[in-house]
Amino acid sequence: MAPTPRSSRAPRTTHQVAVIGAGIAGMAAATEAARCGLKTALFDDGLLGGLIINVNAIHGHPGAIDTTGADLVNTMLGEALEAGVDYQPGAVSELTAANDHWSLPANSVTARRVILATGADLRTLGVPGEEQLTGRGVSQCAYCDGGLYKGKDVAVVGGGDGAFQEALHLTELCASVTMILRSQKPRARPVFVRQAADLSNMHFRWNTEVQEIIGTDGVDTVRLIDSGGKEETLPIAAIFPFIGLTPKTALTNASKDDAGALIIDSHLQTDQPGLYAIGATRAGYGGQIAHAIADGKVAAQAAWRSI
Ligand SMILES: Cc1cc2nc3c(=O)[nH]c(=O)nc-3n(C[C@H](O)[C@H](O)[C@H](O)COP(=O)(O)OP(=O)(O)OC[C@H]3O[C@@H](n4cnc5c(N)ncnc54)[C@H](O)[C@@H]3O)c2cc1C
């Protein structure tokens, strides 16, 4: 489909596209939009690269063997800048629609189209002790904090790829890693589950939930309960919860699913015309960086064709 000419009544805007969030999805979208000839702004609230930035070994991304998250992010930011993206470090706190354009008032930017790539936060357990001991034994970054617990017993909560990846990394440093899973069937792909099952210092607690994290200056134990009601107190020095994501979608009141992820059409457009949602912000996101990159390209091209 050929791009339709811009309406002569369209308001003057500072940019044609504004991409909010410079994680993998946002950087891919901004680069593609710029390569489509669109004047593109890219914003980031401080955690450039998002969820992948602290991952030391990326799995499942073509050509990324032995690549760290930080390396990939640097490469992608370089590509974005080279394509001509106007990268503006700084959070976007407000997004409003006006006629045929969008306004980011606090950032002094107006754009014909907005691509929301604000990603997601790692969910927390919400149990007693978790908040008080965060940074003192409760961590959501095994690659950053694992070294602090060298030779000690630790636990990882969750059953997805991320949980298994982080647990596998910890087995290289720690005396033992106990994985605590709510069900008997991990969501992680078999490549990770098989690897974990083969390790002598990896232990599992299936059908089990964390009830409390106990300690004063650091984590001493966790209190667990299984689906049959049996309780256990497990002595550990650290616990790493990876139990899923909460999409960051507060900037818009476009339709969301029960998990708070934005509902999109086949062009990744929300129910608000001109507002696209990609990567971990959107319902049905595939979960891997390859999906995030594909989302970025699909939305950028859809935005380009619609202007
Ligand atoms: C532990 C772990 C390991 C993983 N390992 C792999 C792996 O090996 N291979 C793989 O394919 N995938 C992996 N993943 C998944 C992958 O990291 C994610 O799917 C992907 O990074 C999601 O990218 P995103 O851009 O959608 O969101 P995010 O990474 O969440 O990025 C969103 C960005 O938006 C910014 N932002 C948020 N709000 C605002 C705002 N208001 N204004 C401006 N900026 C804002 C954030 O700071 C962030 O930079 C892993 C995930 C985890 C948690």
Side-chain angles (χ1 to χ4, degrees):
M1 187 172 73
T4 49
R6 187 175 159 173
S7 154
S8 58
R9 286 185 299 125
R12 286 174 69 87
T13 50
T14 62
H15 295 76
Q16 285 160 305
V17 174
V19 179
I20 307 177
I24 297 295
M27 286 192 288
T31 303
E32 185 70 13
R35 286 184 180 148
C36 289
L38 303 177
K39 188 177 178 199
T40 304
L42 173 66
F43 296 92
D44 189 64
D45 68 352
L47 190 59
L48 176 68
L51 292 168
I52 206 72
I53 192 73
N54 293 317
V55 175
N56 272 10
I58 295 179
H59 293 264
H61 180 54
I65 293 170
D66 289 336
T67 301
T68 65
D71 283 344
L72 180 66
V73 169
N74 278 336
T75 302
M76 289 187 69
L77 182 63
E79 279 174 358
L81 297 175
E82 198 179 284
V85 170
D86 175 17
Y87 174 51
Q88 301 192 15
V92 174
S93 55
E94 202 184 342
L95 174 65
T96 54
N99 300 326
D100 192 26
H101 70 282
W102 291 86
S103 174
L104 286 60
N107 309 78
S108 306
V109 160
T110 48
R112 298 286 311 282
R113 304 287 180 264
V114 166
I115 300 177
L116 204 63
T118 41
D121 285 322
L122 290 167
R123 277 173 54 201
T124 54
L125 295 166
V127 298
E130 182 181 36
E131 207 180 318
Q132 302 87 297
L133 292 166
T134 291
R136 288 182 291 151
V138 178
S139 165
Q140 291 189 299
C141 183
Y143 291 104
C144 327
D145 297 333
L148 300 172
Y149 306 102
K150 223 171 176 172
K152 303 205 168 141
D153 300 314
V154 302
V156 170
V157 191
D161 281 356
F164 272 82
Q165 269 176 266
E166 303 271 318
L168 285 166
H169 171 68
L170 289 169
T171 59
E172 293 167 11
L173 305 167
C174 302
S176 77
V177 178
T178 301
M179 290 208 72
I180 301 163
L181 297 95
R182 220 169 33 171
S183 77
Q184 185 74 43
K185 205 170 178 308
R187 276 178 295 113
R189 282 171 291 164
V191 61
F192 297 118
V193 180
R194 269 200 303 268
Q195 244 178 293
D198 284 347
L199 292 171
S200 58
N201 65 340
M202 179 81 99
H203 310 297
F204 294 91
R205 295 291 186 278
W206 306 102
N207 301 313
T208 298
E209 291 190 41
V210 178
Q211 286 201 303
E212 186 179 3
I213 302 170
I214 300 162
T216 41
D217 288 335
V219 172
D220 296 326
T221 57
V222 283
R223 209 155 53 75
L224 308 178
I225 186 162
D226 73 13
S227 52
K230 195 173 136 217
E231 295 202 15
E232 175 185 2
T233 300
L234 186 71
I236 48 164
I239 184 163
F240 297 83
F242 294 101
I243 55 168
L245 301 173
T246 304
K248 291 206 267 193
T249 55
L251 277 175
T252 173
N253 55 13
S255 293
K256 296 168 192 168
D257 68 8
D258 291 345
L262 287 158
I263 295 170
I264 35 75
D265 64 16
S266 59
H267 299 292
L268 305 184
Q269 188 169 217
T270 67
D271 62 0
Q272 300 199 354
L275 179 66
Y276 298 80
I278 60 172
T281 56
R282 73 151 172 110
Y285 169 56
Q288 296 176 39
I289 53 183
H291 298 113
I293 292 168
D295 274 14
K297 286 177 179 283
V298 168
Q301 292 203 7
W304 168 53
R305 291 179 192 288
S306 73
I307 288 176

